[in-house]
Amino acid sequence: MPPLVLLINGPNLNLLGAREPAIYGADTLADVEARAAALAAELGLGLEAFQSNHEGALIDAIQSARERAAGIVINPGAYTHTSVAILDALNAFDGPVIEVHVSNIHRREAFRHRSYVSLRADGVIAGCGVEGYCLAMRRLASLLVPGG
Ligand code: CA2
């Protein structure tokens, strides 16, 4: 079995492609998940994708990764800037965590500049559009796949 990566997207990211294309691009979340799954297979990784608008459901998904997943790619959406609970859940996961933001949060409002999740993340990608998810997968492959 290839090492499993859990791709987690937080609140409102189900709207990718539907609104605000100037900030978030034109690809839908389904496009992003399909591309990540295809890339994962190429890189010798497995992929499971999950999205929720609910903080507790995101925490349950992160906790479930403890038994099943080798690594996590997470875009926590606005919870990035508010959720100590998501940080705590990630701190209880032993594998590598890559944080992704579609937009460059540092070029936006001041309240988006702080990330609780970055206190745990092994890598952070922001402002690369949805391509950031693929960059994150490649980083996890180099950490998790021998010779990857
Ligand atoms: O840039 C990112 O990926 C964010 O995590 C996206 C969050 C935002 O709160 C963070 O500060 C940065 C918002 C996701 C909203 O996604 C939408 C996508 C399309 C249309 C409307 C919202």
Side-chain angles (χ1 to χ4, degrees):
M1 285 277 281
L4 180 68
V5 171
L6 198 53
L7 168 61
I8 300 176
N9 276 288
N12 295 308
L13 287 154
N14 55 314
L15 297 177
L16 275 177
R19 289 179 53 102
E20 303 199 64
I23 301 178
Y24 298 112
D27 290 313
T28 66
L29 182 60
D31 295 332
V32 167
E33 291 175 347
R35 206 172 307 148
L39 180 61
E42 250 176 61
L43 295 170
L45 294 167
L47 186 93
E48 186 178 302
F50 178 77
Q51 187 276 332
S52 178
N53 293 324
H54 303 277
E55 188 174 19
L58 295 166
I59 291 163
D60 288 343
I62 294 164
Q63 287 189 9
S64 82
R66 282 157 49 81
E67 297 102 52
R68 310 177 299 117
I72 293 177
V73 173
I74 184 165
N75 182 346
Y79 287 137
T80 305
H81 319 296
T82 63
S83 181
V84 176
I86 288 177
L87 170 63
D88 288 345
L90 289 168
N91 277 333
F93 176 75
D94 286 333
V97 173
I98 309 296
E99 176 183 354
V100 172
H101 298 285
V102 177
S103 65
N104 181 356
I105 55 175
H106 302 288
R107 210 168 68 173
R108 301 183 65 188
E109 303 95 324
F111 66 82
R112 295 186 204 273
H113 297 175
R114 179 186 64 182
S115 167
Y116 286 104
V117 170
S118 291
L119 293 169
R120 164 64 180 88
D122 298 288
V124 182
I125 296 164
C128 296
V130 295
E131 195 186 332
Y133 293 100
C134 292
L135 299 172
M137 295 298 298
R138 289 187 188 282
R139 178 62 183 153
L140 283 187
S142 53
L143 294 172
L144 297 172
V145 179

